[in-house]
């Protein structure tokens, strides 16, 4: 039996039974009666030397989740509660290569510093609507200004179609995307295109028709 001392000694503690799936025998653990699932998972992982990332906890037939609607889930435990502990196996290696890093790159995780409404929206889209991570990545990486422009574009598109200006509207959108995505040069920097430089100054080593003609006249070819 392992006793876990809580941060506040006056806090009520209970003794729970841990039944780990596998050959390990049941064990007992003393924890606070009111505890966050995240903290309970950390205590069980450290007590049994188990990988916390692959640890699943089941209480009364329900899998415990750390977050709900973006907030930490707090649970109430009773003395003698039985908790099933399962370690999820690592996925098999495909084609002789470990694809864990690739899978992690495709998974979108909302930063912990995100606002409360963003966490609730993420929980609704991810848990309820089951949207793919790639779509969630697009939704949460775009700024508020970008979303306003996208909504305005869809509002104005039917107007342009009604006035038979659809092709011009699309062309104007393309030009705007190019102009707004042009990089900003620092003071003193020269552009690769001489038309954007002062006095149409070219970069050293630029090959154009005039230089080609001068090299031919000078017998360098």
């Amino acid at each position: 039996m392992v006793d876990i001392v809580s941060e506040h000694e006056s806090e009520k503690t209970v003794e729970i039974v841990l039944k780990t799936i596998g050959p390990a025998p049941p064990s007992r653990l003393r924890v606070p009666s009111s505890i966050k699932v995240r903290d309970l998972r950390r205590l069980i992982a450290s007590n049994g030397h188990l990988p916390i990332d692959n640890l699943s906890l089941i209480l009364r037939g329900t899998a415990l989740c750390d977050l709900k609607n973006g907030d930490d889930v707090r649970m109430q435990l009773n003395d003698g509660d039985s908790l099933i502990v399962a370690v999820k196996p690592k996925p098999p290696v495909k084609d002789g290569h470990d694809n864990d890093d690739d899978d992690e790159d495709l998974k979108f995780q909302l930063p912990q510093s995100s606002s409360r409404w963003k966490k609730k929206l993420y929980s609704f889209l991810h848990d309820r609507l089951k949207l793919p991570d790639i779509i969630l990545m697009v939704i949460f990486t775009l700024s508020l200004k970008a979303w306003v422009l996208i909504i305005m574009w869809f509002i104005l598109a039917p107007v342009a179609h009604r006035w038979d200006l659809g092709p011009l509207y699309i062309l104007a959108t393309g030009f705007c995307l190019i102009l707004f995505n042009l990089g900003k040069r620092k003071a003193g920097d020269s552009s690769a295109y001489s038309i954007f430089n002062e006095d149409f100054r070219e970069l050293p080593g630029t090959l154009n028709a005039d230089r080609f003609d001068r090299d031919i006249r000078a017998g360098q070819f």
Side-chain angles (χ1 to χ4, degrees), residues 19-187:
K19 297 181 178 179
T20 305
I21 296 179
S27 60
R28 295 179 179 273
L29 184 68
R30 184 165 292 277
V31 297
S33 60
S34 178
I35 187 173
K36 294 179 180 179
V37 176
R38 186 192 303 274
D39 297 333
L40 178 62
R41 191 186 306 275
R42 188 181 299 113
L43 287 175
I44 294 174
S46 61
N47 176 67
H49 305 288
L50 301 173
I52 189 171
D53 294 334
N54 298 334
L55 198 63
S56 295
L57 305 178
I58 302 174
L59 178 65
R60 306 184 190 104
T62 303
L64 303 181
C65 299
D66 294 346
L67 299 174
K68 184 177 181 180
N69 295 329
D71 298 327
D72 287 323
V73 176
R74 179 175 289 275
M75 58 183 304
Q76 189 71 31
L77 295 172
N78 300 320
D79 201 32
D81 275 346
S82 181
L83 197 68
I84 297 178
V85 181
V87 178
K88 293 183 292 186
K90 210 175 177 185
V93 178
K94 297 180 181 179
D95 302 328
H97 299 283
D98 193 349
N99 297 327
D100 286 347
D101 294 339
D102 296 338
D103 293 340
E104 289 297 327
D105 292 339
L106 295 176
K107 291 183 179 179
F108 175 73
Q109 294 291 337
L110 198 64
Q112 292 294 332
S113 58
S114 300
S115 59
R116 186 184 183 89
W117 72 269
K118 275 190 176 182
K119 291 180 179 179
K120 289 184 178 295
L121 179 61
Y122 172 80
S123 178
F124 175 77
L125 296 177
H126 183 267
D127 300 335
R128 297 285 184 85
L129 300 184
K130 306 295 183 182
L131 292 182
D133 289 307
I134 187 67
I135 296 180
L136 293 175
M137 191 180 301
V138 173
I139 292 175
F140 287 96
T141 52
L142 290 178
S143 63
L144 183 61
K145 180 181 178 181
W147 277 114
V148 171
L149 292 175
I150 292 173
I151 293 173
M152 289 297 298
W153 189 90
F154 280 103
I155 292 175
L156 295 176
V159 178
H161 176 70
R162 190 178 300 116
W163 289 88
D164 294 330
L165 297 175
L168 292 178
Y169 187 71
I170 295 176
L171 287 175
T173 301
F175 281 115
C176 289
L177 289 175
I178 294 173
L179 291 175
F180 284 119
N181 283 280
L182 291 177
K184 293 183 179 180
R185 288 182 291 147
K186 298 180 180 179

Side-chain angles (χ1 to χ4, degrees), residues 207-208 211-221:
L207 180 62
N208 51 28
R211 179 170 179 177
F212 190 69
D213 182 67
R214 288 196 305 268
D215 290 343
I216 291 177
R217 294 176 184 275
Q220 297 183 8
F221 283 95

